[in-house]
Amino acid sequence: MPELVLPSGILSSMAAWRPESAREEASARDEASDEALAERVCATGDVAAFGLLVTRYRRRVVALARRMLTAVGTEEAEDVAQEAFVAAYDKRASFQRGQPFRPWLYRIAVNRCLDRLRAQARRPGMVEYGTVPEPALAGADPIDALLTEESEARLQDAVAALPPKLRAVFLLRHLDDLSYEEIAAALGLPIGTVKTHLFRARAQLRQALTGYLEP
Amino acid sequence: MNCLQVDNLIQTSLDRVLTLSEKERLADHLETCAGCRAAWNEHPRLARLAGRWVAEAGGSRENGDVFTAQVLAQITSRPAPVSPSAPLWGHPLAAMGLLLAALALLPLSVWPDLPTVGASAHALPGWLLANGRALPADMAAIWATAQSGLVVPSWLWSALLVAGAVNGLFYARLTQSRRKESVS
């Protein structure tokens, strides 16, 4: 019988977003929570407070845009991310006091991505192909690095093949460790539907990565 | 438990801690099912791969200040957004009011010759003759006053009708665009 060692903290991706630059550290040390900053922006249109939120969430929103849109490079993903932040500022009146900030922001970002996907579908000739492959980790074994690159390329293709709603649920779960409730709030879906979408997405991806997930 | 239920339980274990009973049922099944044992190993690896793959897409940590400055520049360089309160064009009550006003004024302009009691028979419209009815005296007085004091040309009710219809169309478009902002 295999030892039932349950995974712990596998999906805790918060470490990936730990700030490194001095400016990011200053904003991270700022004691105001995301919700407090958002309420300040909502009440007074405080651009500086909004800038702190942009700094905190930039990489996450760019990552979401890049993985939702699949066939785009970093530059276009950053354009979409900037559009999402500008839209969030424009819609600041819709942020309600007491509401968590992350689902609200990701809802706007996912909407922007879905709009871009619909625009791409209407103009198939305009889709950009050939994203820049991720460089291998420094010092990593070349065979392991190749396998990782292949795995990630396979994962990218498999995620691109998911329907947009399943893709959004899967990415939000792995992007920022959002709970089912937060994903449901972000996408306007019932919690049961979120769970179903997530399980279906994982099952499809596991099938697509057959051979790449073995020890 | 069947393999589909076990797969769901394995995936659930990625998102929360399983109860003791769930762990026991899962362990019992994994003892005898090689396929599910493979799933037990592969799901966490997929989760780790996905987490790394998503995080890598966040871009360089170094360009954060530039990105933030660009976003803030876009915000501060644009005119203030339109107030969320209902605009003049696209207000549902305004649209309904204009349409009702147009309908109320329509008879005054379309039928200016509506006769009063006592008028000669040939002045009555055909439908009144057919029904043998005419306006009662008090209404006839009101009608006469309206005709003499209120000139309602047909272009006025037409303009009100068009204004009401256009307002209604704007309201429909606004409602549609607001609905689009929520993810279905």
Side-chain angles (χ1 to χ4, degrees), chain A residues 1-7 10-11 16-18 20 23-24 47 50-51 54-55 58-59 62-63 66-67 78 81-82 85-86 89-91 107 111 114 134 148 151-152 155-156 159 165 170-171 173-175 180 187-189 195 198-199 202-203 205-206 209 213-215, chain B residues 7-9 11-18 23-24 26-28 30-31 35 37-68 70-72 74-76 78 81 84 180-184:
Chain A
M1 172 188 157
E3 190 177 339
L4 206 66
V5 177
L6 293 173
I10 279 179
L11 295 176
W17 311 115
R18 193 174 298 129
E20 283 191 0
R23 168 97 178 237
E24 285 182 315
V47 174
F50 188 72
V54 172
T55 302
R58 172 186 68 91
R59 294 185 63 230
V62 170
R66 191 150 177 215
R67 295 313 186 203
E78 288 194 352
Q82 288 190 9
F85 280 116
V86 171
Y89 186 81
D90 286 344
K91 291 176 174 43
R107 183 186 191 109
N111 275 341
L114 292 176
E134 309 292 350
T148 303
S151 306
E152 292 190 354
L155 178 60
Q156 179 160 319
V159 169
K165 281 291 168 58
F170 179 78
L171 289 175
R173 183 72 187 101
H174 291 275
L175 172 76
Y180 295 160
L187 300 181
L189 296 171
K195 200 172 168 183
L198 183 60
F199 284 15
R202 283 172 174 162
L205 293 174
R206 186 176 151 243
L209 271 86
L213 298 174
E214 292 161 6
Chain B
D7 190 81
N8 283 349
L9 203 52
Q11 292 201 46
T12 300
S13 73
L14 298 175
D15 302 326
R16 65 164 173 83
V17 177
L18 297 181
K23 288 181 196 176
E24 286 173 354
L26 184 57
D28 288 343
L30 292 180
E31 271 190 10
R37 280 201 297 275
W40 172 249
N41 290 319
E42 291 172 5
H43 271 301
R45 287 200 193 97
L46 173 62
R48 274 192 290 266
L49 179 65
R52 189 174 59 224
W53 175 72
V54 172
E56 281 171 354
S60 165
R61 297 175 195 273
E62 295 164 357
N63 297 332
D65 292 351
V66 172
F67 181 95
T68 302
Q70 286 172 344
V71 170
L72 298 185
Q74 288 182 53
I75 288 170
T76 53
R78 295 173 317 143
K180 263 188 190 176
E181 288 307 325
S182 62
V183 179
S184 58

Side-chain angles (χ1 to χ4, degrees), chain A residues 53-190:
Chain A
L53 290 169
V54 172
T55 302
R56 287 182 189 179
Y57 281 89
R58 172 186 68 91
R59 294 185 63 230
R60 278 171 271 197
V61 175
V62 170
L64 177 63
R66 191 150 177 215
R67 295 313 186 203
M68 271 294 292
L69 301 177
T70 61
V72 299
T74 307
E75 208 172 296
E76 185 166 349
E78 288 194 352
D79 287 344
V80 174
Q82 288 190 9
E83 284 175 21
F85 280 116
V86 171
Y89 186 81
D90 286 344
K91 291 176 174 43
R92 60 193 184 277
S94 70
F95 180 78
Q96 293 168 4
R97 193 181 183 85
Q99 151 188 14
F101 176 72
R102 291 190 306 168
W104 177 81
L105 177 64
Y106 290 139
R107 183 186 191 109
I108 295 172
V110 167
N111 275 341
R112 280 290 170 271
C113 294
L114 292 176
D115 288 344
R116 188 62 69 102
L117 282 172
R118 279 190 279 267
Q120 283 179 350
R122 283 194 293 270
R123 299 176 299 161
M126 298 298 290
V127 173
E128 298 172 25
Y129 289 97
T131 58
V132 177
E134 309 292 350
L137 295 171
D141 182 89
I143 301 296
D144 285 345
L146 178 62
L147 287 172
T148 303
E149 258 185 54
E150 281 186 29
S151 306
E152 292 190 354
R154 193 71 178 238
L155 178 60
Q156 179 160 319
D157 291 342
V159 169
L162 291 175
K165 281 291 168 58
L166 267 66
R167 198 185 311 166
V169 170
F170 179 78
L171 289 175
L172 286 177
R173 183 72 187 101
H174 291 275
L175 172 76
D176 209 358
D177 211 12
L178 264 67
S179 65
Y180 295 160
E181 290 76 14
E182 288 173 319
I183 297 173
L187 300 181
L189 296 171

Side-chain angles (χ1 to χ4, degrees), chain B residues 28-180:
Chain B
D28 288 343
H29 185 92
L30 292 180
E31 271 190 10
T32 57
C33 182
C36 288
R37 280 201 297 275
W40 172 249
N41 290 319
E42 291 172 5
H43 271 301
R45 287 200 193 97
L46 173 62
R48 274 192 290 266
L49 179 65
R52 189 174 59 224
W53 175 72
V54 172
E56 281 171 354
S60 165
R61 297 175 195 273
E62 295 164 357
N63 297 332
D65 292 351
V66 172
F67 181 95
T68 302
Q70 286 172 344
V71 170
L72 298 185
Q74 288 182 53
I75 288 170
T76 53
S77 65
R78 295 173 317 143
V82 177
S83 164
S85 61
L88 179 62
W89 284 104
H91 198 292
L93 289 178
M96 203 179 307
L98 288 167
L99 288 171
L100 285 175
L103 286 173
L105 292 174
L106 172 63
L108 291 177
S109 60
V110 173
W111 296 300
D113 299 326
L114 195 65
T116 57
V117 173
S120 58
H122 73 267
L124 290 171
W127 63 271
L128 279 181
L129 283 172
N131 291 331
R133 295 165 60 188
L135 289 175
D138 53 351
M139 278 197 69
I142 293 170
W143 189 253
T145 305
Q147 283 186 290
S148 61
L150 178 64
V151 177
V152 184
S154 57
W155 63 261
L156 178 57
W157 73 261
S158 302
L160 290 172
L161 190 67
V162 169
V166 170
N167 208 326
L169 278 172
F170 267 96
Y171 172 65
R173 278 196 71 181
L174 270 175
T175 309
Q176 196 181 28
S177 65
R178 281 177 193 156
R179 212 175 280 140
K180 263 188 190 176

